[in-house]
Amino acid sequence: RVTDHESPPRMSMTWFALGPVAAIGFYDGFFGPGAGSFYALALVGLLGLGLRSATNNTPQRFTGFWPWVSSHS
């Protein structure tokens, strides 16, 4: 369910960063539009955040990280 109520996470932050965040970052590098929606859905579905918390955390946590990694590799 997509609500403001948080639930227990289904995976750790480490696995989340190595799996869905990497895949969405790859998508973002090629296509771009809509990546924030995928991040929000992943945060709600896999980390158990509420929808409001997930959409607030999307830009700060993930959108600046993968472009930085790719430019420094």
Side-chain angles (χ1 to χ4, degrees):
R1 280 175 53 180
V2 179
T3 64
D4 281 339
H5 300 290
E6 296 190 5
S7 61
R10 296 185 177 163
M11 65 174 43
S12 69
M13 183 59 90
T14 302
W15 286 111
F16 184 73
L18 293 174
V21 171
I24 296 168
F26 181 78
Y27 165 84
D28 191 23
F30 280 99
F31 302 108
S37 299
F38 294 133
Y39 283 122
L41 288 173
L43 286 166
V44 169
L46 299 174
L47 289 186
L49 296 178
L51 182 60
R52 186 175 304 169
S53 178
T55 54
N56 285 336
N57 285 325
T58 297
Q60 293 96 359
R61 285 194 181 172
F62 303 112
T63 55
F65 178 68
W66 287 106
W68 178 83
V69 169
S70 63
S71 67
H72 288 85
S73 57

